[in-house]
Amino acid sequence: MSILSGCYRYRFYVLLVVISLVAVLFLGNQLAENQYITTSRRVNNQATLVTNKLKDLPITDNVYSTVLENGLTVLLKEVHTAPVVSVQVWYKFGSRHEAPGHNGIAHQLEHIMFKGTTNRPTQFGWLFSALGSDSNAFTSYDQTAYYGTVERDKLEALLVLEADRMQNALIDSEHLAREKRVVISELQGYENSPEYRLNRAILQRVFPNHPYGLPVGGTKADVEKFQVEELQKYYRQFYHPENSVLVIVGDFSTEKTLATVKQIFGNIPKISQSPKFPNPQSPKFPNPQSPIPNPQSPIPNPLILREPGSTTLLQAIYPLPPANHQDMPALEVLDYILTEGRNSRLYQAVVESGLATDVSASVVSLEKAGWYELLVTADPDQDLSKIQSVLDQAIAKLSQNGVTSAELARAKRQLEAAIILSNRNITDQAMQLGNDQTTTGDYRFTDYYLAAVRQVTTADVVAVLNKYLTKSAQTVGIFQPIVSQTQEITKQKSSPRTTEKFSGNSTVPPADMMQYLPKIDTIQDNNQNTKLILPQQFTLANGLQILLLRDDSTPTITLSGYIKAGSEFDPVAQSGLASLVADSLMSGTKTKNASTLAKALEDRGASLDFAAYRTGVQIEGDSLAEDLPVLIHTLADALKNSTFPQKELELNRQQALSELKQDLDEPGEVALRIFVQSIYPQAHPLHKFPTKESLKRIKRQDVVAFQHKYYRPDTMVLVLVGDLQPESVRSLIAAELGDWLVSGEPPSVEYPEVSNPSSIVRVNPVVPGKTQAITYMGYTGIKRQDPRFYQALVLNQIFGGDTLSSRLGAEVRDRQALTYGIFSHFQAEKDFGTFWIEMQTSPEDANQAIASTRKLLEDIHEHGVTATEVEMAKRTLIGNYQVSLADPEELTSNILMNQVYGLEQAELYHYTAKIRQVTLAEVNQAARELFHPDHLVVVTAGPSILARQVVR
């Protein structure tokens, strides 16, 4: 399961270090990684400010703000671009408020908040799922937030649920005991990441006497000691209206919704009116208003971690002031100049020179303090002292010589475009309002901040560099890997069946759980948003398919494309060739070098990325609407005129080799690779994965030949959604790509049929130095055009489509507390399909979790599911899909993949009707045909303890 955790950056200027509760899946060639995300980069951009139309666009326009009598702050923003609404409750309570010895209790309480209330003693994840809500939660240093985005008629229901758990959370010993194990499993997942461990060690040194120096998720030692009474005290202290911000953004009427909010939340008492619970041993909470202690002076020598790993990391951290300090805009501009894009100072210094494979940075802006963190990734044989010297020299050069006017203008453009591009869906808009209000005390902060960015001068940038990024303020940490080879067990061994004793507790949501669902407002307003508009489709003479959908709700463009030039065409001895070609398309063309190509996009805040997956190359891009010509011209230049200079190709190869080392050091990546290779035989296109040897065999002529053979307009689909005029855009694309010609028929590849194993196959690759195991189990599945596709979606949603509301989640996560994340998925592609289950567990829990999962698979295969489960799964799938169409990136992706799979355009809206038509009998028939509990490939990768496990 892919666990989104660590540093979560919703906004360009604020890094929210969060621990997220639920998960998402990344499909395709790459495994969804368990990782501690140390940065979330912003969107990129240009050298002149946007037009007056953009410049005068207030991000927080049309927001209604009020405070109820009980102290609840309410922010309402009507956005009538889609019939959906986002409801978020932000509590001004995070890990910064934890007393000593209670590290992680805010995060633990976040988990407990999903376990039910005294009014609704049931898993809230199931209730949100039944409403079709795209829901989640996170804990940060300064806040804990709960959010859900639903169809507009579910607004009142979401409000009822959030109000219920604001005052009636069910916090008992049984739930705590189980959820502590889940949290520890989550923390073990973070421990697998060297970046997480290094970042934690440095922050502890920078902030030795303050909660900012402790991990948001807590430590295993503290979590194990949590008691029910402690969580109840924190809940009473911080979960109340006066300490909360309710944010609602979307398709609603402010007047009507405000009345509903007052009715539902208005009767929740202030904390001063709440009953008192005398307890002489009540924890002493840190004063939220007290200033943060000055960070300790760094010691001369860097902090060094020598542990198992694959790459060398160098991280430098510099203390900064709080989010609303006057220096922060200039610091953000400085960060962009240093590390944003190929033309940034530090990228040029250490990546273009070949010293490192990656450099990234973030300005962390929190309520009481902040820090600037700079991270460099390099191969173990690189000279770290030289890398650090080069970094210091680059910073010193900027200090001495200043920044150019072009650099300053580009960084400002990047920041301005980043704000606009990150406010294209209502969930993100609500996130910005909630974060601004709880971090700075003013939901309008982004507008003020952007105005301040526009006023930053070159002198301001140099001044903040000299003030904050000094050697004396720098704390450096180094991760030096003890390189050890992953011990792959490639020989497949069959094992006897494993059985588990189950309690009598039902894992099926009983029909009476329906009583806990709040009523749904079925009265629909007369609203133009119900109108369904299909994209306009054109095909150029060379076969290039174009689909255009106008959406002028924001002055932006979202581009998504596909070319049938994926890794399925890789020669076995040169696996990784397709990816190297895609990664090198922007390395230079007949008239532009790599820097010039990148600058054209960076100067305008546009992005354009190519990535090769199994069946094709995905193209992703976005820009402000006025910059679409530059985006299309750069795309066309890269596709038609790439020259693959040898120097740039070698840099890309080194980055690919570095990524491969990192993959083989991650249990999830190792498990996925061996899982796929255990299902599909060597002659199958899916069996191929890059190796060190295969990447080194690739020569420049191989790259040129691959691009010439497989990059063709007649296998390309291009989709654009945004503020555009279809006829004008069609003419623009035709002018840029209409002369792209090829001859002959497009190449094809054969996907032979593959039989499932005759028994259970267990493979346990060992990844040294890890604390958590990742398991993949499954077999071949259905293709996208299979008539059982929609039944399979419903079946999978019931079985494992969601960690909190599925049978897998209810049994393996909630009841047995064996995993933080578990889910299943039918990957139904055009030419093949795979069904898999993914879970993360402690090594000692892996066998029990696998056995329990197989038992659930067997139960559904033999006995089927219930009518209630089918109804709830259909609601979830339909609701989530409707929400996805309100996000430009997901909408564009849906349009693209429907075309790639050969579906009708109307599938965009027929999907929901097809889900509604699925019956209980069809789902149970699909369970009998598609679930095979006795024919599984099971791969568990992780610590060496797995090698000593015995399957009984």
Side-chain angles (χ1 to χ4, degrees):
M1 188 171 188
S2 164
I3 306 304
L4 293 184
S5 60
C7 297
Y8 177 75
R9 190 170 182 169
Y10 259 102
R11 284 299 158 270
F12 69 103
Y13 59 89
V14 177
L15 180 65
L16 292 179
V17 182
V18 304
I19 304 299
S20 182
L21 182 61
V22 194
V24 295
L25 168 66
F26 293 83
L27 302 181
N29 195 24
Q30 306 274 335
L31 171 63
E33 302 174 355
N34 294 314
Q35 59 183 342
Y36 181 83
I37 307 172
T38 57
T39 63
S40 178
R41 294 300 299 173
R42 339 18 69 146
V43 194
N44 321 324
N45 322 333
Q46 154 187 40
T48 59
L49 289 178
V50 289
T51 64
N52 289 332
K53 174 185 175 184
L54 299 180
K55 189 173 180 179
D56 297 335
L57 178 67
I59 301 303
T60 56
D61 193 20
N62 195 36
V63 175
Y64 177 85
S65 173
T66 189
V67 179
L68 303 188
E69 291 183 4
N70 60 4
L72 177 67
T73 298
V74 181
L75 302 176
L76 306 176
K77 181 179 180 181
E78 292 186 34
V79 180
H80 300 291
T81 56
V84 296
V85 61
S86 185
V87 174
Q88 304 185 7
V89 180
W90 290 65
Y91 294 94
K92 289 176 274 189
F93 168 52
S95 62
R96 177 170 64 84
H97 303 84
E98 295 165 351
H102 292 75
N103 183 215
I105 204 164
H107 174 226
Q108 183 72 73
L109 187 54
E110 175 216 311
H111 277 243
I112 294 295
M113 291 289 285
F114 280 84
K115 307 305 289 186
T117 66
T118 53
N119 297 328
R120 295 177 172 83
T122 187
Q123 167 60 258
F124 262 46
W126 187 88
L127 298 178
F128 291 135
S129 182
L131 292 173
S133 176
D134 181 8
S135 295
N136 210 322
F138 65 81
T139 303
S140 179
Y141 287 109
D142 297 325
Q143 315 102 329
T144 304
Y146 303 83
Y147 57 98
T149 303
V150 294
E151 297 166 284
R152 64 186 175 208
D153 60 334
K154 315 291 176 49
L155 169 59
E156 183 174 343
L158 269 190
L159 292 174
V160 168
L161 293 177
E162 292 297 353
D164 190 14
R165 65 177 173 179
M166 179 182 284
Q167 58 184 328
N168 303 312
L170 186 59
I171 305 173
D172 59 28
S173 57
E174 180 182 358
H175 286 145
L176 178 58
R178 293 176 180 171
E179 213 60 26
K180 281 163 67 172
R181 291 191 65 187
V182 171
V183 168
I184 290 171
S185 172
E186 181 181 357
L187 297 180
Q188 288 176 327
Y190 306 149
E191 291 290 337
N192 277 359
S193 167
E195 291 93 337
Y196 171 83
R197 302 198 300 273
L198 179 62
N199 183 265
R200 178 184 58 190
I202 302 175
L203 286 177
Q204 286 175 344
R205 177 165 292 186
V206 175
F207 301 110
N209 302 308
H210 192 276
Y212 281 173
L214 297 175
V216 172
T219 62
K220 181 181 179 182
D222 278 358
V223 170
E224 288 175 335
K225 294 184 295 185
F226 291 159
Q227 300 297 316
V228 169
E229 295 77 15
E230 293 171 328
L231 266 74
Q232 290 173 341
K233 293 167 192 172
Y234 275 87
Y235 176 68
R236 291 192 298 267
Q237 183 77 13
F238 294 105
Y239 279 72
H240 56 84
E242 293 168 280
N243 200 47
S244 310
V245 177
L246 172 64
V247 184
I248 307 175
V249 175
D251 192 19
F252 61 85
S253 162
T254 296
E255 182 178 0
K256 178 183 176 182
T257 300
L258 181 59
T260 302
V261 168
K262 290 179 178 178
Q263 177 186 359
I264 294 173
F265 283 86
N267 293 327
I268 302 177
K270 294 183 178 180
I271 189 171
S272 58
Q273 300 170 338
S274 301
K276 301 297 181 183
F277 298 86
N279 190 326
Q281 297 180 339
S282 178
K284 189 174 184 179
F285 301 105
N287 182 354
Q289 302 306 319
S290 62
I292 188 169
N294 290 327
Q296 76 170 27
S297 298
I299 60 175
N301 295 322
L303 180 154
I304 299 177
L305 298 183
R306 291 186 177 91
E307 300 172 355
S310 58
T311 56
T312 295
L313 304 172
L314 185 152
Q315 186 170 51
I317 288 184
Y318 306 80
L320 297 180
N324 56 6
H325 192 277
Q326 63 183 5
D327 288 339
M328 296 309 292
L331 282 163
E332 189 76 30
V333 173
L334 170 62
D335 175 38
Y336 273 66
I337 291 170
L338 286 176
T339 65
E340 182 59 46
R342 188 158 196 160
N343 288 280
S344 63
R345 294 287 186 103
L346 299 188
Y347 187 94
Q348 289 286 322
V350 298
V351 179
E352 288 285 354
S353 65
L355 288 174
T357 56
D358 186 48
V359 59
S360 60
S362 284
V363 175
V364 181
S365 303
L366 303 176
E367 183 178 348
K368 292 299 176 184
W371 58 87
Y372 186 60
E373 55 183 40
L374 178 66
L375 179 68
V376 178
T377 304
D379 283 335
D381 56 356
Q382 286 288 358
D383 185 345
L384 279 180
S385 61
K386 182 177 181 180
I387 292 176
Q388 185 170 357
S389 175
V390 169
L391 289 174
D392 292 341
Q393 289 172 15
I395 293 174
K397 183 179 180 181
L398 192 151
S399 173
Q400 295 164 6
N401 301 333
V403 301
T404 67
S405 57
E407 286 179 308
L408 179 69
R410 178 166 59 241
K412 288 183 177 182
R413 174 69 171 205
Q414 289 173 323
L415 279 164
E416 186 158 21
I419 299 171
I420 297 169
L421 290 166
S422 64
N423 273 275
R424 289 181 293 175
N425 68 66
I426 63 169
T427 300
D428 283 351
Q429 292 180 48
M431 281 284 173
Q432 178 177 275
L433 294 174
N435 181 70
D436 284 354
Q437 183 67 35
T438 54
T439 301
T440 71
D442 193 335
Y443 70 88
R444 297 163 295 185
F445 177 73
T446 293
D447 286 332
Y448 302 148
Y449 190 92
L450 180 54
V453 166
R454 292 185 182 124
Q455 302 303 315
V456 171
T457 66
T458 55
D460 295 332
V461 174
V462 174
V464 295
L465 183 147
N466 291 331
K467 184 177 180 180
Y468 297 104
L469 270 61
T470 63
K471 287 287 290 182
S472 61
Q474 179 190 73
T475 301
V476 176
I478 293 173
F479 179 89
Q480 291 186 335
I482 303 171
V483 182
S484 50
Q485 185 67 35
T486 298
Q487 302 169 26
E488 298 186 11
I489 303 174
T490 55
K491 185 178 180 181
Q492 301 176 3
K493 296 181 179 180
S494 179
S495 65
R497 292 189 54 177
T498 306
T499 59
E500 278 290 318
K501 294 183 179 179
F502 285 80
S503 71
N505 293 358
S506 172
T507 62
V508 180
D512 62 5
M513 291 183 77
M514 294 291 290
Q515 67 181 300
Y516 299 130
L517 274 177
K519 68 175 183 178
I520 297 173
D521 181 9
T522 57
I523 300 176
Q524 295 291 324
D525 297 329
N526 292 326
N527 195 300
Q528 72 275 15
N529 295 327
T530 57
K531 184 178 180 181
L532 307 181
I533 303 176
L534 293 174
Q536 295 188 38
Q537 182 172 354
F538 311 97
T539 302
L540 300 185
N542 59 9
L544 173 61
Q545 301 175 67
I546 306 166
L547 293 97
L548 307 174
L549 182 62
R550 184 177 182 182
D551 173 12
D552 58 6
S553 59
T554 63
T556 64
I557 296 292
T558 303
L559 177 151
S560 188
Y562 170 95
I563 303 175
K564 192 171 177 58
S567 62
E568 62 184 4
F569 293 117
D570 280 354
V572 174
Q574 294 176 318
S575 293
L577 175 58
S579 290
L580 190 57
V581 172
D583 293 341
S584 302
L585 284 173
M586 295 286 289
S587 294
T589 64
K590 295 175 182 177
T591 58
K592 300 180 182 71
N593 61 25
S595 178
T596 305
L597 271 178
K599 186 175 182 296
L601 299 173
E602 292 168 6
D603 281 353
R604 290 163 175 81
S607 68
L608 181 63
D609 297 298
F610 301 85
Y613 296 93
R614 287 293 181 187
T615 62
V617 171
Q618 293 276 1
I619 307 168
E620 303 295 340
D622 56 28
S623 73
L624 299 177
E626 63 186 15
D627 295 323
L628 177 59
V630 176
L631 184 64
I632 295 299
H633 177 76
T634 305
L635 171 67
D637 198 17
L639 290 174
K640 297 189 301 180
N641 303 315
S642 290
T643 55
F644 306 104
Q646 187 67 46
K647 178 184 175 182
E648 300 291 342
L649 193 62
E650 288 307 316
L651 285 175
N652 290 331
R653 188 202 310 273
Q654 289 306 311
Q655 290 177 349
L657 288 167
S658 179
E659 290 172 4
L660 176 62
K661 290 179 183 178
Q662 294 178 63
D663 287 348
L664 296 180
D665 188 51
E666 295 178 0
E669 292 285 354
V670 173
L672 177 63
R673 173 183 287 233
I674 297 178
F675 170 75
V676 171
Q677 291 183 327
S678 298
I679 293 176
Y680 299 101
Q682 288 190 356
H684 198 280
L686 297 183
H687 189 87
K688 296 174 290 188
F689 281 86
T691 65
K692 180 180 178 180
E693 292 72 24
S694 69
L695 289 171
K696 288 187 173 182
R697 289 191 193 104
I698 299 171
K699 294 180 171 47
R700 180 180 177 276
Q701 57 263 36
D702 302 320
V703 171
V704 172
F706 188 98
Q707 194 265 353
H708 179 75
K709 182 175 182 180
Y710 297 109
Y711 279 71
R712 305 169 53 102
D714 52 356
T715 68
M716 181 174 175
V717 180
L718 187 62
V719 179
L720 289 95
V721 173
D723 189 5
L724 54 83
Q725 296 292 337
E727 288 296 335
S728 298
V729 175
R730 177 189 181 183
S731 299
L732 172 65
I733 296 174
E736 293 285 0
L737 287 164
D739 61 349
W740 183 20
L741 302 176
V742 292
S743 61
E745 293 297 316
S748 61
V749 63
E750 181 181 352
Y751 280 82
E753 293 295 326
V754 176
S755 300
N756 289 328
S758 58
S759 60
I760 305 299
V761 174
R762 287 293 304 268
V763 187
N764 291 344
V766 174
V767 185
K770 304 303 177 182
T771 59
Q772 189 171 69
I774 306 297
T775 295
Y776 273 83
M777 51 195 300
Y779 39 76
T780 59
I782 62 172
K783 301 177 184 178
R784 178 59 181 88
Q785 296 283 10
D786 193 295
R788 298 166 295 180
F789 175 74
Y790 300 96
Q791 292 93 315
L793 289 181
V794 176
L795 172 64
N796 183 72
Q797 183 63 36
I798 294 167
F799 176 64
D802 183 276
T803 294
L804 295 185
S805 62
S806 64
R807 286 206 188 183
L808 282 178
E811 177 62 30
V812 183
R813 185 193 191 278
D814 281 358
R815 196 183 74 79
Q816 298 188 44
L818 297 175
T819 179
Y820 167 58
I822 184 169
F823 68 91
S824 60
H825 178 69
F826 280 96
Q827 183 182 2
E829 299 289 343
K830 189 173 183 179
D831 297 311
F832 68 91
T834 308
F835 171 72
W836 77 74
I837 304 156
E838 183 185 350
M839 70 182 81
Q840 61 177 88
T841 63
S842 298
E844 59 270 20
D845 291 335
N847 277 343
Q848 184 179 350
I850 291 167
S852 298
T853 298
R854 288 187 55 230
K855 175 61 176 173
L856 289 172
L857 197 66
E858 186 177 70
D859 285 347
I860 291 184
H861 172 75
E862 294 180 356
H863 305 298
V865 300
T866 68
T868 300
E869 287 179 299
V870 170
E871 179 61 26
M872 291 302 97
K874 289 160 66 174
R875 287 192 190 187
T876 301
L877 291 169
I878 291 171
N880 287 347
Y881 183 75
Q882 297 285 30
V883 169
S884 76
L885 296 184
D887 185 316
E889 292 185 355
E890 293 193 52
L891 172 62
T892 307
S893 178
N894 274 318
I895 295 171
L896 174 72
M897 296 316 297
N898 286 344
Q899 191 71 15
V900 170
Y901 291 140
L903 306 175
E904 297 180 353
Q905 277 197 50
E907 173 70 14
L908 190 65
Y909 300 112
H910 290 171
Y911 171 94
T912 54
K914 292 177 180 178
I915 293 294
R916 288 191 183 97
Q917 293 168 2
V918 172
T919 67
L920 172 64
E922 290 173 335
V923 174
N924 286 333
Q925 179 66 27
R928 290 189 291 271
E929 296 174 356
L930 302 179
F931 278 3
H932 308 293
D934 295 323
H935 305 279
L936 289 163
V937 170
V938 182
V939 179
T940 303
S944 59
I945 186 174
L946 293 172
R948 299 193 296 271
Q949 287 184 336
V950 178
V951 182
R952 306 184 195 284

